[in-house]
Amino acid sequence: MLARVWSASLVGIDAVKVGVEIDVSGGLPGITVVGLPDAAVQESRERVRAALKNAGYAFPMRKVVINLTPADLRKEGPSFDLPISVGILAASEQVSAERLEEFLFLGEVSLDGSLRAIAGVLPIAATAQQLGISTLVVPADNAQEAAVVKGLKVYGFKHLADVADFLNNPAAYAPTQLDPREELLHQQRSYLDLKDVKGQAHARRALEIAAAGGHNLIFVGPPGSGKTMLARRLPGILPPLTFEEALEVTQIHSVAGLLKERGRLVGTRPFRSPHHSASGPSLVGGGSFPRPGEISLAHRGVLFLDELTEFKRDVLEFLRQPLEDGQVTISRTRQSVMFPAQFMLVASTNPCPCGYFGDTMQPCTCSPRQREQYWAKLSGPLMDRIDLQVAVNRLKPEEITRQPQGEASSTVRDRVQTARALAQQRFQAEPSVRCNAEMQSRHLRQWCRLDETSQTLLEAAIRKLGLSARATDRILKVSRTIADLAGEEQIQSQHVAEAIQYRTIDRMA
């Protein structure tokens, strides 16, 4: 007898509908899996055989052929265990096959018949309606994750026997219920607070501008000046995730298998901080079957690269295209996948190998040649893509002991949200642009017009600092954000002057 069950496979964060066809016929007993399965899918033969027997069902002692369609799509992972099990039960007439066309099955099956959670359920659930599916059957541990998607019936089960009973009597079971917006609203925010930072008014101001405009930022300063402390407090002054943004972030974390660590819905902005020994594929994503890297896991959040000059130069060059496009495309022989990567890059570095160049309390021991080689690790095109370059000096002893607490993150966040609201109102005709850092050339011409004084000031800075056209655009974007924070409709000369001040590395050069 022939039975067909629906499942799905992931290509990047996009879902592709997969048909699981089971044919039980005469011949020598055995199981054959065709349709370009990987090793994990091939191994499902033994898992399914043991699971059905241990769950109390008869495994057909006949020839069983399992075909996964479309045949030219590579199938990977253990998520096909459940649809294969259901298909065999239906083909051997142990469960009802009347309504199988309505369901999509996902899940790994243990040898005792229990169902185990898998990665990547949410992206499949998010596109289920486009695939023509109204009902999803998943392991119980994945049910809350899939129920985030509205308009989709989700049933979660702990054992294969429960799934069989559901197929024979679906009216006896109720779908999983979840209000995702309430879930997002009640997520606790446990960010580090800016009030713990003493002094550093210039760096705090730069952090606020970066948050208000979504700008990339680098801190340059000696050891102990507070660069890392400042960077780790950036998420606390960013606006909270909207439901749509949270859904995007959660889908990426679901594909990467990180939702077990983050809960049902990622309600806080990601903060990723890879070690400087990270490779290029770990940063941008990759592998034989591409998986998201750190820049995609930081989508809608912050990617923090501490000790930037310790990263390999070729690894840093991987960042150039994603910083410009907001996405990364990974091409392989069999397929090409795209992962979103709209993140804020925040970096920190010492000004020289010894770390004390320009420090007022400890002399630098590096030669000019050593400093030149040190900065040569960072390419000009990469630094052009960093909007704010900020020098951070060490606090004096009396500032450390007597300086009062700084402004709290909640107060700064209110100003940031006000500035972002102005930007979103400005770009309401273009939903793809969410903040000033994402403006293109046509937006600059429309929203970043300068008066004669500001124009003269910017031209002088271009000549003196040798700024590229891209760096000039960054200054205009930062000027627009500073004006938004000030509540000004037009960019003034003082806004441009402040933006130019945040080109520390260009001035050093």
Side-chain angles (χ1 to χ4, degrees):
M1 184 177 176
L2 177 67
R4 182 167 67 178
V5 177
W6 292 113
S7 187
S9 182
L10 286 173
V11 179
I13 61 170
D14 298 320
V16 177
K17 194 174 182 180
V18 173
V20 181
E21 299 174 338
I22 311 292
D23 180 64
V24 178
S25 59
L28 292 175
I31 307 176
T32 303
V33 182
V34 297
L36 212 59
D38 74 343
V41 179
Q42 290 282 9
E43 291 169 355
S44 67
R45 296 176 299 179
E46 305 305 323
R47 289 194 297 272
V48 168
R49 188 200 304 268
L52 290 176
K53 288 184 177 180
N54 291 328
Y57 297 96
F59 190 87
M61 298 303 294
R62 305 174 70 185
K63 182 180 180 181
V64 178
V65 178
I66 302 170
N67 180 37
L68 306 176
T69 61
D72 60 345
L73 175 69
R74 183 76 173 179
K75 323 301 187 305
E76 59 171 333
S79 62
F80 295 100
D81 288 1
L82 180 56
I84 289 174
S85 301
V86 170
I88 291 176
L89 290 174
S92 57
E93 300 182 339
Q94 298 181 73
V95 298
S96 173
E98 290 183 7
R99 297 177 57 188
L100 285 182
E101 291 287 326
E102 301 176 14
F103 305 123
L104 188 146
F105 298 87
L106 296 166
E108 180 183 348
V109 177
S110 297
L111 298 185
D112 62 354
S114 59
L115 303 184
R116 301 183 61 188
I118 59 170
V121 168
L122 182 58
I124 295 173
T127 55
Q129 292 174 335
Q130 300 175 17
L131 300 177
I133 296 296
S134 61
T135 307
L136 203 62
V137 179
V138 296
D141 291 339
N142 286 127
Q144 296 282 352
E145 175 188 344
V148 167
V149 180
K150 287 187 174 182
L152 181 69
K153 293 181 181 179
V154 177
Y155 294 87
F157 301 101
K158 292 186 176 181
H159 199 274
L160 189 57
D162 299 329
V163 178
D165 188 51
F166 165 73
L167 292 174
N168 289 325
N169 187 20
Y173 292 85
T176 302
Q177 299 293 332
L178 177 71
D179 187 341
R181 295 185 185 274
E182 283 293 323
E183 177 72 18
L184 182 62
L185 186 64
H186 288 92
Q187 290 239 5
Q188 294 184 351
R189 300 170 64 88
S190 56
Y191 296 122
L192 298 173
D193 204 304
L194 260 181
K195 67 181 181 182
D196 300 328
V197 180
K198 293 185 176 181
Q200 304 295 7
H202 183 60
R204 290 169 61 98
R205 170 67 172 171
L207 210 60
E208 181 178 341
I209 294 170
H215 302 291
N216 301 321
L217 169 69
I218 183 171
F219 288 124
V220 182
S225 57
K227 304 184 298 294
T228 302
M229 186 179 186
L230 284 159
R232 291 190 178 278
R233 280 152 178 78
L234 176 57
I237 63 174
L238 289 172
L241 285 172
T242 64
F243 174 72
E244 290 73 19
E245 289 175 333
L247 195 59
E248 291 177 16
V249 173
T250 307
Q251 288 186 47
I252 298 171
H253 282 74
S254 176
V255 171
L258 299 180
L259 276 193
K260 296 175 185 177
E261 303 173 8
R262 301 297 299 269
R264 294 188 292 255
L265 193 67
V266 179
T268 56
R269 292 195 179 271
F271 184 90
R272 306 294 299 183
S273 181
H275 191 260
H276 60 74
S277 61
S279 64
S282 71
L283 206 60
V284 301
S288 302
F289 303 103
R291 286 290 182 266
E294 291 291 339
I295 64 173
S296 294
L297 294 173
H299 181 63
R300 301 298 181 196
V302 177
L303 177 70
F304 177 48
L305 302 184
D306 199 8
E307 304 297 341
L308 184 66
T309 48
E310 297 302 321
F311 284 80
K312 295 180 181 178
R313 177 168 176 147
D314 59 336
V315 172
L316 293 178
E317 293 305 297
F318 281 115
L319 295 174
R320 287 165 54 177
Q321 182 260 337
L323 282 173
E324 202 71 25
D325 298 341
Q327 63 184 34
V328 57
T329 302
I330 302 171
S331 299
R332 295 293 180 265
T333 304
R334 293 184 179 274
Q335 62 182 349
S336 178
V337 300
M338 186 277 293
F339 293 112
Q342 289 186 323
F343 61 93
M344 288 178 60
L345 173 64
V346 179
S348 70
T349 185
N350 294 331
C352 65
C354 78
Y356 295 103
F357 178 66
D359 186 38
T360 58
M361 293 187 285
Q362 186 165 335
C364 174
T365 59
C366 303
S367 66
R369 178 62 177 167
Q370 287 175 314
R371 290 195 292 269
E372 183 180 345
Q373 291 176 337
Y374 182 77
W375 283 105
K377 298 177 183 179
L378 305 179
S379 68
L382 176 63
M383 298 314 298
D384 276 352
R385 288 169 169 82
I386 297 180
D387 308 28
L388 301 166
Q389 305 166 359
V390 184
V392 183
N393 298 318
R394 284 197 295 172
L395 295 178
K396 297 177 181 178
E398 59 271 18
E399 292 176 319
I400 296 175
T401 58
R402 300 177 185 177
Q403 190 77 250
Q405 278 190 331
E407 200 172 23
S409 290
S410 57
T411 305
V412 178
R413 185 169 61 246
D414 290 341
R415 294 198 297 267
V416 167
Q417 288 184 260
T418 301
R420 285 226 180 186
L422 289 174
Q424 289 171 1
Q425 184 178 4
R426 186 184 305 126
F427 305 127
Q428 59 184 350
E430 297 190 52
S432 60
V433 181
R434 302 191 181 208
C435 57
N436 291 331
E438 297 175 8
M439 287 192 293
Q440 303 298 320
S441 297
R442 65 181 186 277
H443 304 124
L444 295 179
R445 290 192 296 268
Q446 184 177 0
W447 301 109
C448 296
R449 295 193 181 98
L450 302 180
D451 57 28
E452 189 63 31
T453 304
S454 301
Q455 190 79 29
T456 302
L457 180 62
L458 181 57
E459 290 172 357
I462 295 172
R463 283 192 294 268
K464 186 173 182 179
L465 303 179
L467 299 176
S468 66
R470 181 181 287 112
T472 304
D473 287 349
R474 302 285 173 173
I475 290 178
L476 289 174
K477 293 176 183 180
V478 172
S479 301
R480 180 66 267 171
T481 300
I482 295 172
D484 288 344
L485 284 168
E488 300 284 350
E489 185 176 347
Q490 297 295 327
I491 297 176
Q492 308 295 328
S493 58
Q494 63 267 26
H495 305 146
V496 177
E498 184 177 359
I500 293 171
Q501 288 299 310
Y502 297 118
R503 303 300 301 183
T504 295
I505 296 175
D506 292 330
R507 296 202 305 273
M508 289 172 59

